[in-house]
Amino acid sequence: MKLNVFDRSNYLKGLLVLISKDKKISDDESDFIMKVGKTLGFDKEFCEEAIETLLENNYISQEPPEFSNVEFARSFIEDAISVAITDNELSQLEIGYLKAIAEKNHVDDDWFVRQLSTADKISKNIKFDIPHLSVEKHL
């Protein structure tokens, strides 16, 4: 099953909301969003502007994205955790947002907890490098 335009838009928007949760955007987060945007087929300038104006943009909905397929939601959560640990910490705001996305998309709670647990262990032991994107398997 392939991501449709609606799912692609939700994917990018959801990641943008996630990186804005701590009110700062690191270079690693920006690079990650640019890679995701390119992978999803978004214009480079659009992604750059979205990142540059993200913290001042009061019109971006904080509502957790809903995907048309639970597998898309799982891929989103995997990629979202990857970007969330770029600063070697999963904040409570980030975890809460990811949990809301998992619930809205009927993602199994045990699977979600395992993903968070694995990410927490990884984040303490690595320097961030943009990983293979989970979303690529749906393109």
Side-chain angles (χ1 to χ4, degrees), residues 20-66:
S20 72
K21 289 294 181 186
D22 62 1
K23 306 293 185 211
K24 61 184 187 236
I25 301 170
S26 71
D27 289 342
D28 286 337
E29 289 171 325
S30 180
D31 292 347
F32 190 97
I33 295 297
M34 291 302 296
K35 180 177 181 183
V36 169
K38 180 179 180 181
T39 300
L40 294 174
F42 288 96
D43 182 69
K44 179 182 177 184
E45 287 78 23
F46 171 80
C47 294
E48 288 171 343
E49 184 174 338
I51 293 166
E52 289 170 11
T53 61
L54 179 60
L55 297 178
E56 299 89 38
N57 190 338
N58 296 323
Y59 299 104
I60 294 179
S61 170
Q62 299 293 307
E63 184 70 23
E66 185 172 2

Side-chain angles (χ1 to χ4, degrees), residues 2-139:
K2 303 288 185 196
L3 284 169
N4 61 38
V5 174
F6 181 74
D7 287 324
R8 288 172 192 246
S9 177
N10 276 339
Y11 215 98
L12 184 62
K13 182 188 76 91
L15 291 176
L16 286 166
V17 170
L18 178 69
I19 68 168
S20 72
K21 289 294 181 186
D22 62 1
K23 306 293 185 211
K24 61 184 187 236
I25 301 170
S26 71
D27 289 342
D28 286 337
E29 289 171 325
S30 180
D31 292 347
F32 190 97
I33 295 297
M34 291 302 296
K35 180 177 181 183
V36 169
K38 180 179 180 181
T39 300
L40 294 174
F42 288 96
D43 182 69
K44 179 182 177 184
E45 287 78 23
F46 171 80
C47 294
E48 288 171 343
E49 184 174 338
I51 293 166
E52 289 170 11
T53 61
L54 179 60
L55 297 178
E56 299 89 38
N57 190 338
N58 296 323
Y59 299 104
I60 294 179
S61 170
Q62 299 293 307
E63 184 70 23
E66 185 172 2
F67 297 97
S68 62
N69 179 302
V70 71
E71 290 304 314
F72 298 161
R74 284 184 179 170
S75 290
F76 173 86
I77 290 168
E78 290 172 352
D79 289 341
I81 289 171
S82 293
V83 75
I85 64 172
T86 61
D87 58 4
N88 293 322
E89 178 183 348
L90 278 168
S91 76
Q92 288 303 313
L93 289 173
E94 291 168 330
I95 292 170
Y97 183 65
L98 293 172
K99 176 71 173 157
I101 293 166
E103 288 173 355
K104 187 171 190 172
N105 288 279
H106 311 289
V107 171
D108 180 75
D109 195 50
D110 290 338
W111 179 90
F112 178 73
V113 170
R114 280 193 308 276
Q115 298 308 306
L116 287 179
S117 175
T118 302
D120 190 47
K121 291 174 189 167
I122 292 170
S123 71
K124 291 177 175 41
N125 297 313
I126 64 166
K127 180 184 180 316
F128 181 72
D129 188 26
I130 297 174
H132 170 77
L133 296 172
S134 184
V135 71
E136 290 176 327
K137 64 186 169 195
H138 300 293
L139 300 176

